[in-house]
Amino acid sequence: FKQNTRNAKDERQKQQDFLRDERENQQRFLEEDRAKQQESYEQDRLTQIEVAKRSFDIQVLSGNRQDWINNLREVASEYSSSAVSEIDLCITYQIQKKLVDGLIVKVNEGSLYSNSDEFKDIFSKEKIELFTRQERLGTVSGRVKFLEDKIKMMLNPKEKEYSKIVALFTAIKSSKVALVNADDVLVVQRQEYANVINSINEIISLMQGIFKSEWERVKSGI
């Protein structure tokens, strides 16, 4: 009887030890499983945050780049048309100036015709026209300089197109100076006007290359 009682007691103890160990193992398994789930959840959360951040950055970057492309296109278009207008005004101003200078010579020579009312009326109108052309030329030249500087600031000086575009700006200004200093503007007009048109066409071509490259980056989300 005592042996049976001892055996039953040992069996109960073994069962209790087994159940305790089993509960501890289950508890440890549940804790490890919860820890893994928590780690997985945290990793998923961080991944989602990173994906959302990258998506936002791409959208913002692409949107900003698209705005930059649109703005630069508008500025470049206005520059090209304004630069041509500036050369046109420079030519007409120089022609008008030579006309007025010729009338002034007649006044200084004291010719009989220069004292007539008709001459004085013509002289006055031509001087007013010269002043008007000068004002218009000054306004357009100021706008061209503003647009030129704006294009420079919108471009990256490290890009190869930058130095080429700046050199073309210089060439256009050189043509203007040549027209201003020409003894006979009609002689140099055709050549310098052609030089300006060629320079502007080269600027447009370079700009189109920049727009194409940047547009590819927009589509790629870079």
Side-chain angles (χ1 to χ4, degrees):
F1 177 77
K2 288 182 179 180
Q3 184 62 40
N4 290 337
T5 301
R6 189 180 299 112
N7 290 340
K9 183 178 180 180
D10 291 342
E11 186 65 26
R12 285 195 302 270
Q13 185 63 44
K14 289 180 180 179
Q15 289 178 351
Q16 290 175 356
D17 291 343
F18 173 78
L19 292 174
R20 185 186 65 248
D21 292 342
E22 189 65 21
R23 285 194 300 271
E24 289 177 353
N25 289 335
Q26 290 179 352
Q27 183 66 27
R28 184 165 52 254
F29 173 79
L30 291 174
E31 290 177 353
E32 291 176 354
D33 186 59
R34 283 196 297 269
K36 290 180 180 179
Q37 289 180 353
Q38 182 65 28
E39 182 181 358
S40 177
Y41 170 78
E42 184 65 20
Q43 186 62 40
D44 289 344
R45 188 180 69 84
L46 293 175
T47 301
Q48 291 174 358
I49 291 175
E50 181 65 22
V51 170
K53 181 178 181 299
R54 289 185 180 182
S55 178
F56 176 79
D57 290 344
I58 289 173
Q59 290 177 358
V60 172
L61 184 62
S62 296
N64 290 340
R65 181 170 282 114
Q66 182 62 60
D67 291 340
W68 175 84
I69 292 173
N70 293 337
N71 290 335
L72 182 57
R73 182 184 289 112
E74 290 179 4
V75 174
S77 297
E78 185 180 354
Y79 171 84
S80 61
S81 60
S82 297
V84 173
S85 296
E86 181 185 26
I87 294 299
D88 287 338
L89 287 170
C90 184
I91 292 171
T92 56
Y93 169 76
Q94 288 300 101
I95 293 173
Q96 184 69 22
K97 186 175 183 301
K98 288 189 176 297
L99 175 60
V100 172
D101 289 343
L103 295 176
I104 291 175
V105 170
K106 291 184 178 297
V107 172
N108 293 334
E109 289 175 348
S111 62
L112 294 177
Y113 180 69
S114 65
N115 293 321
S116 67
D117 293 337
E118 181 183 0
F119 179 88
K120 292 178 181 178
D121 184 55
I122 294 174
F123 189 31
S124 177
K125 289 180 180 180
E126 295 300 337
K127 285 196 299 182
I128 292 174
E129 179 65 23
L130 177 64
F131 179 76
T132 302
R133 291 181 185 276
Q134 185 178 26
E135 280 193 325
R136 289 172 59 193
L137 177 59
T139 300
V140 173
S141 295
R143 186 62 181 174
V144 168
K145 182 63 170 62
F146 169 80
L147 295 170
E148 177 186 323
D149 292 341
K150 190 170 184 178
I151 290 173
K152 289 179 181 178
M153 288 187 288
M154 294 182 72
L155 295 177
N156 184 354
K158 295 181 180 180
E159 297 292 339
K160 60 182 181 180
E161 291 85 358
Y162 179 86
S163 58
K164 294 180 180 179
I165 291 174
V166 171
L168 291 169
F169 286 155
T170 302
I172 292 173
K173 286 184 285 189
S174 296
S175 293
K176 177 184 174 182
V177 171
L179 286 169
V180 170
N181 296 330
D183 292 331
D184 190 344
V185 67
L186 295 177
V187 173
V188 299
Q189 171 186 349
R190 180 175 299 178
Q191 182 60 49
E192 295 304 332
Y193 192 87
N195 291 341
V196 170
I197 296 299
N198 290 336
S199 295
I200 290 175
N201 287 337
E202 288 187 48
I203 290 174
I204 292 175
S205 178
L206 289 170
M207 287 293 183
Q208 288 173 336
I210 293 173
F211 297 147
K212 181 180 178 181
S213 175
E214 292 299 322
W215 178 240
E216 292 296 329
R217 297 178 68 183
V218 169
K219 291 191 294 184
S220 301
I222 302 175

